[in-house]
Amino acid sequence: MNAATDPREYDLDELRSRTLLSGGGAVDDSIPELARADPDLLGIALVTVEGVLRASAQADVLISIQSAVKPFLFALALQDHGPAALDLVGIEPTGEAFDAIKLESGTGRPPNPMVNAGALLTAALVDGADAASRSGRILDGLSAFAGRDLRVSESIAESEHLLGDRNHALAHLMRSEGTLVIGADEAVAVYARACAVLVDARDLAVMGATLAAGGRNPVTDQRVVGDGVARDVVSVMATCGVYDGSGRWMRQVGVPAKSSVSGAIVLAAPGVLGAAVVSPPLDEQGTSVRGHAVSDVLSHDLGLHSFRMPRG
Ligand code: GLU
């Protein structure tokens, strides 16, 4: 058992060996590139709000960010579009799958920014005159969150765009409701490119830490978004970040997080740290099986649960 409760001294390689054998789950096969993922990959990293980084073996293996991009698209939409973005996308959990073809009844808005409908919309709210400039602003924003220049996998972006039939359906549905005002194909292209950004566990941990530190990147010291924006984003991660598994996640792990089909999970414990786990096999809700196990232990060992009783 890892006795240290100070994240700056936490042994992530020991945690990795302890959880590497937890089995089960299946690698996503929605696009060929994801189907080829290594099921044995397990990378873990954490970054404190003071900027101290800890990383395990394989924390430098790149994967596509997929839905772990959604909190950051929401942040950039709030930053660029202001609080008016909250009139265009809901913030209520759905209890449904990430790609459910469903909008909020009465308003025609996407239910929240952590499901596909919502992320298609928030990506469209980021500043930019056309798809290329909006995608450029998103890549720059994500790079500022990560503290280094990120890049896009062109083949993954293309597969996501070509094979994302449900995303095309959602974009058309939102256009018919008048909630999406850019072209449906353009919205899917921008979202697909955002999902195809390559990150490793370290990058995602810095990104989570930037939210946990109120929008200031603790490694580069750059203010990326305002603290009100970071608070809004982390709140919605807490209620909607793990799709229809969000309730179970908050009870067990108790740390706002976002899961993704590439097996990445990004966590943000406000005022304490950001963390990330990358391991491709997923459970039925699309959450990394080992990622969940690692997050459970991390939360327990570091006392991260949002609703724990204060020690003593
Ligand atoms: N690119 C995936 C999609 O839009 C992301 C889903 C996820 O990671 O949960 O279908």
Side-chain angles (χ1 to χ4, degrees), residues 47-68:
V47 175
T48 69
V49 293
E50 298 83 27
V52 177
L53 182 139
R54 309 274 309 167
S56 74
Q58 293 195 305
D60 55 355
V61 176
L62 291 171
I63 45 108
S64 54
I65 189 167
Q66 298 294 339
S67 283

mmCIF file of all heavy atoms in Angstrom, residues 47-68:
data_model
loop_
_atom_site.group_PDB
_atom_site.id
_atom_site.type_symbol
_atom_site.label_atom_id
_atom_site.label_comp_id
_atom_site.label_asym_id
_atom_site.label_seq_id
_atom_site.Cartn_x
_atom_site.Cartn_y
_atom_site.Cartn_z
ATOM 1 N N VAL A 47 -0.505 16.507 -11.809
ATOM 2 C CA VAL A 47 0.181 17.804 -11.717
ATOM 3 C C VAL A 47 -0.529 18.600 -10.625
ATOM 4 O O VAL A 47 -1.746 18.781 -10.668
ATOM 5 C CB VAL A 47 0.090 18.569 -13.063
ATOM 6 C CG1 VAL A 47 0.702 19.955 -12.932
ATOM 7 C CG2 VAL A 47 0.791 17.803 -14.171
ATOM 8 N N THR A 48 0.222 19.041 -9.634
ATOM 9 C CA THR A 48 -0.402 19.805 -8.558
ATOM 10 C C THR A 48 -0.642 21.247 -9.025
ATOM 11 O O THR A 48 -0.061 21.695 -10.027
ATOM 12 C CB THR A 48 0.492 19.851 -7.293
ATOM 13 O OG1 THR A 48 1.636 20.659 -7.596
ATOM 14 C CG2 THR A 48 0.933 18.461 -6.869
ATOM 15 N N VAL A 49 -1.483 21.964 -8.287
ATOM 16 C CA VAL A 49 -1.758 23.351 -8.681
ATOM 17 C C VAL A 49 -0.541 24.253 -8.467
ATOM 18 O O VAL A 49 -0.528 25.401 -8.909
ATOM 19 C CB VAL A 49 -3.001 23.934 -7.961
ATOM 20 C CG1 VAL A 49 -4.265 23.238 -8.412
ATOM 21 C CG2 VAL A 49 -2.853 23.887 -6.461
ATOM 22 N N GLU A 50 0.515 23.692 -7.811
ATOM 23 C CA GLU A 50 1.776 24.457 -7.714
ATOM 24 C C GLU A 50 2.681 24.129 -8.907
ATOM 25 O O GLU A 50 3.764 24.685 -9.049
ATOM 26 C CB GLU A 50 2.549 24.115 -6.432
ATOM 27 C CG GLU A 50 1.844 24.438 -5.121
ATOM 28 C CD GLU A 50 0.866 23.353 -4.676
ATOM 29 O OE1 GLU A 50 1.069 22.169 -5.035
ATOM 30 O OE2 GLU A 50 -0.122 23.699 -3.991
ATOM 31 N N GLY A 51 2.270 23.168 -9.752
ATOM 32 C CA GLY A 51 3.042 22.849 -10.945
ATOM 33 C C GLY A 51 3.989 21.678 -10.812
ATOM 34 O O GLY A 51 4.857 21.470 -11.669
ATOM 35 N N VAL A 52 3.861 20.880 -9.739
ATOM 36 C CA VAL A 52 4.730 19.696 -9.585
ATOM 37 C C VAL A 52 4.111 18.539 -10.375
ATOM 38 O O VAL A 52 2.950 18.210 -10.191
ATOM 39 C CB VAL A 52 4.864 19.288 -8.102
ATOM 40 C CG1 VAL A 52 5.699 18.017 -7.965
ATOM 41 C CG2 VAL A 52 5.443 20.426 -7.290
ATOM 42 N N LEU A 53 4.922 17.954 -11.287
ATOM 43 C CA LEU A 53 4.419 16.872 -12.128
ATOM 44 C C LEU A 53 4.985 15.534 -11.694
ATOM 45 O O LEU A 53 6.179 15.432 -11.404
ATOM 46 C CB LEU A 53 4.820 17.154 -13.586
ATOM 47 C CG LEU A 53 4.341 16.145 -14.632
ATOM 48 C CD1 LEU A 53 3.871 16.849 -15.892
ATOM 49 C CD2 LEU A 53 5.442 15.137 -14.997
ATOM 50 N N ARG A 54 4.142 14.512 -11.608
ATOM 51 C CA ARG A 54 4.575 13.139 -11.347
ATOM 52 C C ARG A 54 4.024 12.299 -12.490
ATOM 53 O O ARG A 54 2.877 12.505 -12.919
ATOM 54 C CB ARG A 54 3.995 12.574 -10.036
ATOM 55 C CG ARG A 54 4.179 13.406 -8.830
ATOM 56 C CD ARG A 54 5.478 13.206 -8.124
ATOM 57 N NE ARG A 54 5.804 11.825 -7.823
ATOM 58 C CZ ARG A 54 7.028 11.423 -7.431
ATOM 59 N NH1 ARG A 54 8.008 12.308 -7.325
ATOM 60 N NH2 ARG A 54 7.273 10.173 -7.153
ATOM 61 N N ALA A 55 4.808 11.348 -12.977
ATOM 62 C CA ALA A 55 4.331 10.542 -14.101
ATOM 63 C C ALA A 55 4.826 9.118 -13.981
ATOM 64 O O ALA A 55 5.916 8.872 -13.463
ATOM 65 C CB ALA A 55 4.802 11.155 -15.406
ATOM 66 N N SER A 56 4.021 8.170 -14.453
ATOM 67 C CA SER A 56 4.415 6.760 -14.442
ATOM 68 C C SER A 56 5.065 6.408 -15.778
ATOM 69 O O SER A 56 5.084 7.226 -16.704
ATOM 70 C CB SER A 56 3.171 5.879 -14.266
ATOM 71 O OG SER A 56 2.440 5.857 -15.485
ATOM 72 N N ALA A 57 5.511 5.186 -15.901
ATOM 73 C CA ALA A 57 5.915 4.655 -17.202
ATOM 74 C C ALA A 57 4.727 4.807 -18.152
ATOM 75 O O ALA A 57 3.566 4.793 -17.700
ATOM 76 C CB ALA A 57 6.261 3.179 -17.060
ATOM 77 N N GLN A 58 4.999 4.986 -19.419
ATOM 78 C CA GLN A 58 3.995 5.117 -20.502
ATOM 79 C C GLN A 58 3.134 6.379 -20.400
ATOM 80 O O GLN A 58 2.153 6.504 -21.129
ATOM 81 C CB GLN A 58 3.082 3.873 -20.563
ATOM 82 C CG GLN A 58 3.842 2.616 -20.986
ATOM 83 C CD GLN A 58 2.908 1.490 -21.393
ATOM 84 O OE1 GLN A 58 2.044 1.114 -20.629
ATOM 85 N NE2 GLN A 58 3.078 0.956 -22.594
ATOM 86 N N ALA A 59 3.503 7.308 -19.516
ATOM 87 C CA ALA A 59 2.741 8.561 -19.441
ATOM 88 C C ALA A 59 3.073 9.461 -20.631
ATOM 89 O O ALA A 59 2.488 10.536 -20.780
ATOM 90 C CB ALA A 59 3.023 9.287 -18.135
ATOM 91 N N ASP A 60 4.019 9.022 -21.489
ATOM 92 C CA ASP A 60 4.374 9.827 -22.662
ATOM 93 C C ASP A 60 3.897 9.175 -23.962
ATOM 94 O O ASP A 60 4.307 9.571 -25.045
ATOM 95 C CB ASP A 60 5.893 10.040 -22.711
ATOM 96 C CG ASP A 60 6.648 8.725 -22.685
ATOM 97 O OD1 ASP A 60 5.999 7.654 -22.526
ATOM 98 O OD2 ASP A 60 7.887 8.752 -22.835
ATOM 99 N N VAL A 61 2.999 8.189 -23.862
ATOM 100 C CA VAL A 61 2.474 7.554 -25.078
ATOM 101 C C VAL A 61 1.283 8.375 -25.579
ATOM 102 O O VAL A 61 0.338 8.637 -24.833
ATOM 103 C CB VAL A 61 2.033 6.095 -24.790
ATOM 104 C CG1 VAL A 61 1.393 5.469 -26.024
ATOM 105 C CG2 VAL A 61 3.227 5.276 -24.313
ATOM 106 N N LEU A 62 1.363 8.779 -26.847
ATOM 107 C CA LEU A 62 0.315 9.647 -27.407
ATOM 108 C C LEU A 62 -0.921 8.854 -27.829
ATOM 109 O O LEU A 62 -0.809 7.772 -28.397
ATOM 110 C CB LEU A 62 0.861 10.394 -28.638
ATOM 111 C CG LEU A 62 1.923 11.445 -28.353
ATOM 112 C CD1 LEU A 62 2.532 11.944 -29.670
ATOM 113 C CD2 LEU A 62 1.351 12.623 -27.571
ATOM 114 N N ILE A 63 -2.068 9.428 -27.536
ATOM 115 C CA ILE A 63 -3.352 8.887 -27.996
ATOM 116 C C ILE A 63 -4.189 10.086 -28.478
ATOM 117 O O ILE A 63 -3.835 11.223 -28.186
ATOM 118 C CB ILE A 63 -4.126 8.154 -26.854
ATOM 119 C CG1 ILE A 63 -4.100 8.987 -25.556
ATOM 120 C CG2 ILE A 63 -3.531 6.787 -26.559
ATOM 121 C CD1 ILE A 63 -5.361 9.605 -25.201
ATOM 122 N N SER A 64 -5.295 9.821 -29.177
ATOM 123 C CA SER A 64 -6.158 10.951 -29.545
ATOM 124 C C SER A 64 -7.020 11.307 -28.340
ATOM 125 O O SER A 64 -7.499 10.427 -27.624
ATOM 126 C CB SER A 64 -7.007 10.629 -30.779
ATOM 127 O OG SER A 64 -7.737 9.445 -30.601
ATOM 128 N N ILE A 65 -7.227 12.594 -28.142
ATOM 129 C CA ILE A 65 -7.887 13.072 -26.916
ATOM 130 C C ILE A 65 -9.352 12.662 -26.859
ATOM 131 O O ILE A 65 -9.907 12.440 -25.794
ATOM 132 C CB ILE A 65 -7.707 14.604 -26.791
ATOM 133 C CG1 ILE A 65 -8.173 15.120 -25.428
ATOM 134 C CG2 ILE A 65 -8.431 15.348 -27.895
ATOM 135 C CD1 ILE A 65 -7.732 16.563 -25.127
ATOM 136 N N GLN A 66 -10.000 12.530 -28.020
ATOM 137 C CA GLN A 66 -11.422 12.171 -28.113
ATOM 138 C C GLN A 66 -12.260 13.022 -27.134
ATOM 139 O O GLN A 66 -12.034 14.199 -27.018
ATOM 140 C CB GLN A 66 -11.598 10.657 -27.900
ATOM 141 C CG GLN A 66 -10.886 9.838 -28.971
ATOM 142 C CD GLN A 66 -11.497 10.026 -30.358
ATOM 143 O OE1 GLN A 66 -12.629 10.436 -30.518
ATOM 144 N NE2 GLN A 66 -10.716 9.748 -31.390
ATOM 145 N N SER A 67 -13.167 12.372 -26.406
ATOM 146 C CA SER A 67 -14.106 13.184 -25.612
ATOM 147 C C SER A 67 -13.482 13.876 -24.417
ATOM 148 O O SER A 67 -14.149 14.720 -23.797
ATOM 149 C CB SER A 67 -15.276 12.337 -25.155
ATOM 150 O OG SER A 67 -16.151 12.158 -26.228
ATOM 151 N N ALA A 68 -12.245 13.553 -24.086
ATOM 152 C CA ALA A 68 -11.599 14.308 -23.005
ATOM 153 C C ALA A 68 -11.373 15.757 -23.435
ATOM 154 O O ALA A 68 -11.013 16.610 -22.620
ATOM 155 C CB ALA A 68 -10.292 13.643 -22.585
#
